[in-house]
Amino acid sequence: GILWIGTHKGLVKYDSKRKTFKGYNLPLGKGMELNNRVDVIRMDNKNRLWIGTHSGLNIFLPDEEKAYFLKTGIPNSVWTVYCAKDETIWYATYGAGLYQIIPKGKKRSLEDGFELKSFHEKDGLSNEYVYAILPDAEENLWISTDKGLSKMNPKTKTFENFTAEEGLQSNEFNSGAYFLAEDGELYFG
């Protein structure tokens, strides 16, 4: 099998059958100086890799072995990515809120373009510093931040927020500390 590894020097593919490693640089340029510092990798249902870096969001096409930087206009580190069943991509930033990428066209492919929606504290998100996005069984999104957890209904775009006052261990969460168990239990740290 193939294992994709994010490093501070780009993307690495490990082929466990051949016992080989292959490195890939992500696009660099003005405003993308830290694009090879990978924070998160997610594969969608079309086998594309969504890669969050210190410069923003990339998409990597394994069949072409090519990466593309998504020019969204949001120059922030992307800490988490969630690929929904409906092909919507959700990603979150360190200090600039939550974003939804909605593919356009009948095929809902990025080739037809995409719409970008943002969600911030003014919309009900508990904080602009977002570390994780996990779905529950009802397809709500649970979002960990620096000020507790937000539960978002993606259909209505409404938020319900939870803090230490409601029983959380703390209001502050961290990057990379989240897990969706097989039984549907959500864990955040």
Side-chain angles (χ1 to χ4, degrees):
I2 301 295
L3 176 66
W4 294 98
I5 305 164
T7 73
H8 284 190
K9 294 185 177 181
L11 182 66
V12 175
K13 177 173 84 172
Y14 174 66
D15 186 328
S16 63
K17 291 180 184 173
R18 295 187 176 129
K19 308 264 189 270
T20 59
F21 290 90
K22 183 172 182 180
Y24 301 90
N25 284 316
L26 298 173
L28 295 174
K30 186 175 180 175
M32 301 184 298
E33 292 83 4
L34 298 174
N35 204 36
N36 276 318
R37 290 195 64 162
V38 176
D39 292 310
V40 64
I41 303 169
R42 292 286 179 266
M43 184 174 279
D44 68 14
N45 60 12
K46 292 185 177 182
N47 293 321
R48 301 174 297 198
L49 297 179
W50 293 85
I51 304 168
T53 72
H54 276 43
S55 291
L57 187 64
N58 297 264
I59 186 167
F60 183 84
L61 307 176
D63 292 342
E64 297 177 23
E65 295 190 329
K66 183 126 175 93
Y68 301 91
F69 184 79
L70 260 61
K71 295 181 180 181
T72 61
I74 294 59
N76 281 67
S77 295
V78 172
W79 288 73
T80 188
V81 175
Y82 169 63
C83 303
K85 292 176 188 174
D86 69 356
E87 298 185 25
T88 296
I89 304 299
W90 294 87
Y91 73 95
T93 65
Y94 187 71
L98 174 70
Y99 292 85
Q100 179 185 26
I101 295 176
I102 305 165
K104 288 185 176 179
K106 292 179 183 175
K107 296 180 185 177
R108 291 186 55 83
S109 71
L110 290 174
E111 293 79 21
D112 295 330
F114 62 89
E115 179 183 354
L116 185 67
K117 289 187 177 180
S118 64
F119 302 91
H120 303 279
E121 288 180 62
K122 67 178 176 57
D123 302 308
L125 183 65
S126 63
N127 188 255
E128 299 293 310
Y129 292 85
V130 179
Y131 299 110
I133 306 167
L134 287 176
D136 66 18
E138 286 81 39
E139 297 184 15
N140 294 302
L141 300 180
W142 289 83
I143 302 153
S144 65
T145 75
D146 265 353
K147 288 187 180 174
L149 286 175
S150 289
K151 175 184 170 186
M152 179 192 190
N153 179 323
K155 293 177 182 132
T156 63
K157 310 291 192 264
T158 56
F159 292 86
E160 183 178 358
N161 296 317
F162 302 88
T163 64
E165 291 178 7
E166 284 82 34
L168 295 180
Q169 86 290 353
S170 169
N171 285 337
E172 188 169 330
F173 290 87
N174 289 296
S175 65
Y178 57 100
F179 179 71
L180 172 59
E182 285 185 27
D183 66 358
E185 188 93 16
L186 306 176
Y187 295 90
F188 296 95

